[in-house]
Amino acid sequence: MSATSTPEGSSLWRPKRAASKRVEALVKGIFATFAFVSVATTIGIVLTLIFETVAFFSEVPIWRFFTDRAWTPLFANKQFGIMVLISATLLTSAIAIAVALPIGLLAAICLSEYAPARMRRWLKPALEILAGVPTVVFGYFALLTVTPFLQKLIPGLQGFNALSAGLILGVSIIPLVASLSEDAIYAVPRSLRDGAYALGATKRETIVSVVLPAALSGIVASFILAISRAIGETMIVTIAAGQNPSLGINPLVPVQTMTAYIVQVSKGDTPAGSLAYKTIFAVGMTLFLITLALNIFSYWFVRRFREKYE
Amino acid sequence: MTTPTPQPIDKSGFGTTGKFNVSLSKRYNFDKIFSTAAWVATLFGLVVLAVLLVDILIDGLGRIDWAFLTSFSSRRAAAAGILAPLVGSIWLLIVTALVAFPLGVGAGIYLEEYAKDNWFTRLIEINIANLAAVPSIIYGLLGLQIFVRWLQPITNGRSVLAGALTLSLLILPIIIITTREALRAVPDSLRQAGFALGATRWQVIREHIFPIALPGILTGTILALSRAIGETAPLIVIGAVSYIAFLPELSPKGLQSSFTALPIQIFDWVSRPQPQFHTNAAAGIIILMVVLLIMNASAIYLRNKFQQNRR
């Protein structure tokens, strides 16, 4: 065959341009709709929460929500002090954070700075296995292994308590802190470390005074994500911390977090439209706003303090 | 450039001119303590993981036999089995995959291949980042309101379908992100070559880009699904029940039947006071972990195969 095509040959080449264009537009439209589903999810979450929360506050004055000192919406004498649930949530989260932040950050430093490349390659996936353990399993572990163990050390510890729930909650978010912080630390350019070494700093001094400040925005982002995970986590605190709404910060007694309350009401057969049904949305709204505020803060912080290196 | 200004390391005496004292041995001691602490912290997580696994194996392994796998739940701990939750979890897994995979991959293809940098794209991107920080129990509230109440004519209330749709929305952001990463890894020259031959964008994606990206997408999807299988809170909120003595039919009607799942059954057994039920819970956890292990192993297998082909 010669390079120039014959009239017959060219007649075989009939691209269906109109059809192609239609398919192209159709595909693009469908996929854009799919992409919009994620936005619709957010809109759905916000509308759902607002709708039922407004219905809740039409029955319960908002000042009672913030000033009542007990949380008893399921009893005859109804009180709606959200602070009771918030204090429990903050308590378990604070214990978790006290465990996860130092250990996670040190693990990140170890993975990035101390571990040899070969070791890092299997240490990181091993930590990811820890991240993949379902939280209901951690709940079992906290209630049936950690609590009995701690009861031998701390005599006053009750069967359900914030302490062991918080400790195991902390363990469950270590991989998150370690993995995200490690990414940030690993991204700090080698030249900064070399500069510090050239000035006579030791390895620890280099890490603490040069590498960590340079990776600060990424590390803080990982911390905030971990805090918001701890606040929103459900199964560990439901199983191990108990269902007893009480105001206070004693970690040795049963408490009820916001998430545990939602589970408690959901497990019973609550008819839609009842006041109990509305409370779980009001509590959910509070939880959503807290995590949203953390997220916005993280967004602001990262943009404000990000270090850029060529 | 916003390189931080180098701070003088005063603690070690660098800044104090005249009294220059390197005190190296002391600083090296601090270094040793620091690196030991870092190693201890790294191993801490792994030690807890090992203790957890061994503890659960000791508690539950003796309880697993054929009867446990093939019996329905019961009020007597010794007679209770895990058949309904196991089948329920598999149902959820399949339906969630069927919903979330096309949605997530389609959205990922749109964002990576079609979308220009405009307000719509930026909205979706910020939105996906935000969704990742929303607690899973909030998705349960969404599912309760939308799928259980509003769409009751379709889902029949607290059904397999409502549960699977809720889980799909939960893992959708993860699938979108992994799809985009897999597509980004495909070299641009392939697209250019396709366009040069007169193919439309969709033809190039369908015939060339997508097949290359598929193993990466599948790996991410399996990991996302394994997360969905372990999720408990959203399913409790939308109303999974812990006592079911039948299996959903293999038909659209089965989608509308009420359901239970492995984590729900485990939660129910853990919350009971009798120790025999705790043994059941441990046995249930072993089954759940085996399911997760199989899924993760297949994801790793796919990833390895993928990396070999690329070479």
Side-chain angles (χ1 to χ4, degrees):
Chain A
M1 279 293 283
S2 63
T4 49
S5 56
T6 59
E8 276 162 18
S10 69
S11 70
L12 288 174
W13 167 240
R14 286 186 194 286
K16 296 179 193 150
R17 289 196 203 285
S20 289
K21 261 188 187 161
R22 273 202 298 279
V23 171
E24 189 72 13
L26 188 71
V27 165
K28 191 176 169 184
I30 292 173
F31 285 176
T33 316
F34 287 180
F36 189 71
V37 169
S38 77
V39 180
T41 307
T42 307
I43 297 172
I45 288 173
V46 172
L47 286 185
T48 301
L49 292 176
I50 288 178
F51 187 72
E52 293 291 339
T53 307
V54 167
F56 172 77
F57 283 123
S58 70
E59 286 184 49
V60 176
I62 196 161
W63 55 268
R64 285 194 59 196
F65 194 61
F66 289 111
T67 55
D68 276 4
R69 298 184 58 79
W71 178 261
T72 54
L74 306 177
F75 298 158
N77 169 30
K78 293 187 195 312
Q79 295 213 56
F80 300 94
I82 188 70
M83 285 306 159
V84 174
L85 300 185
I86 292 181
S87 75
T89 302
L90 293 184
L91 175 62
T92 51
S93 302
I95 297 169
I97 295 304
V99 172
L101 294 199
I103 293 180
L105 185 58
L106 278 174
I109 291 169
C110 178
L111 285 174
S112 169
E113 306 291 315
Y114 289 109
R118 278 178 59 203
M119 211 166 202
R120 182 169 174 266
R121 230 175 334 194
W122 68 263
L123 271 177
K124 234 188 152 176
L127 275 176
E128 276 163 17
I129 296 177
L130 192 65
V133 174
T135 49
V136 69
V137 178
F138 280 120
Y140 172 97
F141 189 62
L143 179 67
L144 298 172
T145 309
V146 176
T147 297
F149 173 73
L150 287 178
Q151 274 172 331
K152 284 179 199 152
L153 306 176
I154 309 167
L157 194 67
Q158 301 202 19
F160 295 107
N161 60 77
L163 182 62
S164 56
L167 290 177
I168 292 304
L169 180 55
V171 169
S172 78
I173 54 178
I174 287 175
L176 179 82
V177 178
S179 174
L180 292 180
S181 296
E182 201 251 8
D183 289 343
I185 293 169
Y186 200 68
V188 173
R190 169 118 222 117
S191 56
L192 278 183
R193 296 183 180 82
D194 291 342
Y197 292 141
L199 289 172
T202 66
K203 185 151 189 165
R204 172 190 61 90
E205 288 157 358
T206 305
I207 293 169
V208 174
S209 329
V210 176
V211 177
L212 291 188
L216 185 68
S217 70
I219 293 173
V220 171
S222 83
F223 283 4
I224 294 173
L225 193 59
I227 294 171
S228 113
R229 182 71 60 85
I231 289 174
E233 204 288 325
T234 310
M235 297 321 294
I236 302 173
V237 290
T238 307
I239 293 173
Q243 310 274 323
N244 179 30
S246 62
L247 192 62
I249 48 161
N250 181 1
L252 305 181
V253 298
V255 294
Q256 184 171 45
T257 63
M258 292 190 275
T259 49
Y261 172 74
I262 298 176
V263 167
Q264 188 197 4
V265 173
S266 306
K267 268 201 319 176
D269 220 2
T270 316
S274 65
L275 187 60
Y277 183 84
K278 288 168 193 158
T279 55
I280 62 175
F281 286 89
V283 173
M285 185 77 172
T286 314
L287 178 64
F288 181 75
L289 288 179
I290 292 175
T291 52
L292 185 70
L294 281 171
N295 204 16
I296 291 171
F297 173 73
S298 158
Y299 200 74
W300 170 82
F301 190 93
V302 168
R303 281 174 67 106
R304 173 77 181 71
F305 290 96
R306 178 160 31 203
E307 306 278 356
K308 278 220 172 105
Y309 305 103
E310 254 91 21
Chain B
M1 276 286 282
T2 49
T3 319
T5 44
Q7 299 287 320
I9 305 170
D10 283 324
K11 280 169 269 175
S12 47
F14 268 47
T16 52
T17 37
K19 289 184 224 152
F20 185 72
N21 176 16
V22 288
S23 65
L24 260 180
S25 60
K26 198 172 143 198
R27 287 159 61 202
Y28 277 138
N29 274 338
F30 274 131
D31 268 39
K32 251 183 223 149
I33 295 169
F34 187 74
S35 74
T36 314
W39 277 107
V40 169
T42 311
L43 296 177
F44 176 79
L46 302 179
V47 169
V48 173
L49 180 66
V51 172
L52 183 150
L53 293 177
V54 169
D55 181 55
I56 282 164
L57 283 175
I58 291 172
D59 287 353
L61 206 53
R63 181 68 184 79
I64 294 177
D65 51 23
W66 189 244
F68 183 71
L69 288 173
T70 55
S71 307
F72 289 111
S73 199
S74 165
R75 292 192 193 290
R76 288 187 303 120
I82 203 149
L83 182 62
L86 187 58
V87 174
S89 273
I90 292 169
W91 257 103
L92 282 174
L93 183 67
I94 293 168
V95 182
T96 305
L98 287 179
V99 175
F101 184 74
L103 273 181
V105 172
I109 290 178
Y110 175 79
L111 290 173
E112 197 57 37
E113 303 283 336
Y114 285 102
K116 299 180 186 75
D117 187 25
N118 56 21
W119 65 270
F120 183 67
T121 317
R122 274 198 298 272
L123 175 72
I124 293 173
E125 274 169 3
I126 293 173
N127 183 54
I128 289 172
N130 276 326
L131 281 179
V134 173
S136 65
I137 196 164
I138 302 277
Y139 282 91
L141 293 173
L142 172 76
L144 176 64
Q145 192 77 329
I146 306 277
F147 301 130
V148 175
R149 287 192 62 199
W150 288 11
L151 297 179
Q152 190 173 24
I154 301 170
T155 59
N156 192 25
R158 300 158 185 255
S159 63
V160 175
L161 186 58
L165 288 174
T166 308
L167 291 180
S168 301
L169 292 186
L170 183 63
I171 62 171
L172 199 57
I174 312 176
I175 298 184
I176 295 177
I177 290 167
T178 42
T179 302
R180 296 190 66 178
E181 272 164 14
L183 289 173
R184 219 171 291 153
V186 179
D188 216 29
S189 52
L190 269 170
R191 294 183 186 85
Q192 307 289 3
F195 296 145
L197 289 171
T200 64
R201 196 170 275 275
W202 171 235
Q203 285 164 340
V204 170
I205 294 168
R206 193 185 56 199
E207 302 292 338
H208 302 287
I209 309 298
F210 185 67
I212 296 175
L214 189 59
I217 297 174
L218 283 178
T219 310
T221 307
I222 295 170
L223 292 178
L225 284 171
S226 78
R227 177 153 167 233
I229 284 309
E231 276 293 347
T232 322
L235 295 181
I236 292 178
V237 174
I238 68 156
V241 278
S242 49
Y243 182 82
I244 281 202
F246 62 88
L247 297 180
E249 315 171 29
L250 273 172
S251 70
K253 269 204 94 92
L255 283 177
Q256 296 186 333
S257 72
S258 52
F259 71 103
T260 185
L262 285 172
I264 306 289
Q265 183 68 70
I266 293 165
F267 172 56
D268 180 61
W269 280 336
V270 174
S271 343
R272 289 168 190 243
Q274 304 91 329
Q276 298 94 315
F277 279 110
H278 296 165
T279 310
N280 281 4
I285 287 173
I286 294 173
I287 305 289
L288 177 64
M289 297 292 272
V290 167
V291 172
L292 291 179
L293 198 69
I294 292 169
M295 293 177 73
N296 284 326
S298 54
I300 291 167
Y301 170 77
L302 266 173
R303 182 156 56 193
N304 287 346
K305 209 176 156 190
F306 175 52
Q307 281 167 346
Q308 275 162 16
N309 285 349
R310 288 293 298 279
R311 222 166 269 149

